[in-house]
Amino acid sequence: MGCCSGRCTLIFICTLQLVLALERQVFDFLGYQWAPILANFFHIIIVILGLFGTIQYRPRYIVVYAVWAALWVAWNVFVICFYLDVGGLSKESNLLTFNISAHHSWWSEHGPGCVRREMPQAPGVRTTESHSYITVMGCFMDYQYIEVMHSSVQILVALLGFVYACYVVSAITEEEDSFDFIGGFDPFPLYHVNEKSSHLLLKPMHPST
């Protein structure tokens, strides 16, 4: 396959997925979103595996990447439903933090144009903090739509990766079959060389008369 083939395109898609996953992982860490953090971690590992398989012509690794791409699409659809309160889900719940903490998306307080309003604690109210958080104002876009945009981009890139992964696996399989047909592909060349050399070494010697 040439440089402008589906294989090179898949390498580019995997690289782009790594960049997007690392960017998302940073903001999920800032928001203490443990479920997305765990999902992003597995996503990064599988994408690296798919990238390695594409570079080294390992179709099995690419198949694993393709299966994960389908699962990754499903996960991001769930995230979109979560932030849009679809199907009984609620973005105000602590589902994405495994109910460990009450943190929400980092973008809920630090989105574009958002201004946090904090006031000193009222007299007679005892808390562990010196001030209490009141509200966020002036946001250009609600945080749930920012999360939906992130997930939508992930879905689009994952779908492209799935399509090109299937194409690359098919192309590699056809090339291997064609090599097998013409006898130009030997999966165990070293074994045959050693076998021939061992036969030569074990060949009986007949003394001349």
Side-chain angles (χ1 to χ4, degrees):
M1 288 179 283
C3 182
C4 296
S5 64
R7 176 171 166 267
C8 292
T9 304
L10 183 58
I11 292 175
F12 171 77
I13 292 174
C14 289
T15 305
L16 178 61
Q17 280 186 303
L18 284 177
V19 174
L20 294 175
L22 290 173
E23 179 265 343
R24 192 176 189 180
Q25 186 77 311
V26 169
F27 292 112
D28 285 336
F29 261 115
L30 293 174
Y32 301 98
Q33 303 296 291
W34 302 117
I37 288 171
L38 190 61
N40 293 334
F41 176 75
F42 284 111
H43 179 60
I44 291 172
I45 292 177
I46 300 299
V47 170
I48 292 175
L49 184 66
L51 183 61
F52 174 79
T54 305
I55 295 174
Q56 296 295 325
Y57 292 92
R58 302 292 180 87
R60 292 183 180 179
Y61 294 167
I62 304 175
V63 169
V64 173
Y65 164 80
V67 173
W68 174 257
L71 295 176
W72 187 243
V73 169
W75 163 254
N76 282 278
V77 170
F78 166 78
V79 172
I80 291 175
C81 293
F82 175 82
Y83 281 107
L84 294 181
D85 300 333
V86 176
L89 299 172
S90 175
K91 60 181 176 292
E92 301 300 330
S93 67
N94 299 324
L95 183 62
L96 296 185
T97 60
F98 297 133
N99 292 321
I100 297 176
S101 64
H103 290 90
H104 297 286
S105 171
W106 183 82
W107 297 103
S108 62
E109 299 180 7
H110 303 87
C114 292
V115 178
R116 298 177 60 184
R117 298 289 184 179
E118 298 178 356
M119 295 180 61
Q121 61 184 13
V125 178
R126 296 181 180 180
T127 61
T128 57
E129 299 179 353
S130 60
H131 56 266
S132 58
Y133 168 71
I134 300 300
T135 186
V136 176
M137 303 177 60
C139 296
F140 298 148
M141 181 182 295
D142 292 336
Y143 75 94
Q144 62 266 28
Y145 299 121
I146 298 178
E147 293 287 358
V148 168
M149 288 175 58
H150 273 87
S151 295
S152 300
V153 172
Q154 294 284 345
I155 290 174
L156 177 61
V157 179
L159 288 175
L160 289 175
F162 177 82
V163 172
Y164 275 97
C166 294
Y167 170 76
V168 170
V169 169
S170 176
I172 293 176
T173 304
E174 289 179 0
E175 286 187 0
E176 291 180 351
D177 291 341
S178 64
F179 279 130
D180 289 337
F181 178 75
I182 64 178
F185 178 78
D186 191 351
F188 305 106
L190 184 59
Y191 171 77
H192 292 306
V193 170
N194 293 335
E195 186 180 21
K196 292 178 181 178
S197 61
S198 63
H199 287 169
L200 292 175
L201 292 175
L202 296 176
K203 185 177 180 180
M205 300 294 294
H206 298 284
S208 59
T209 58

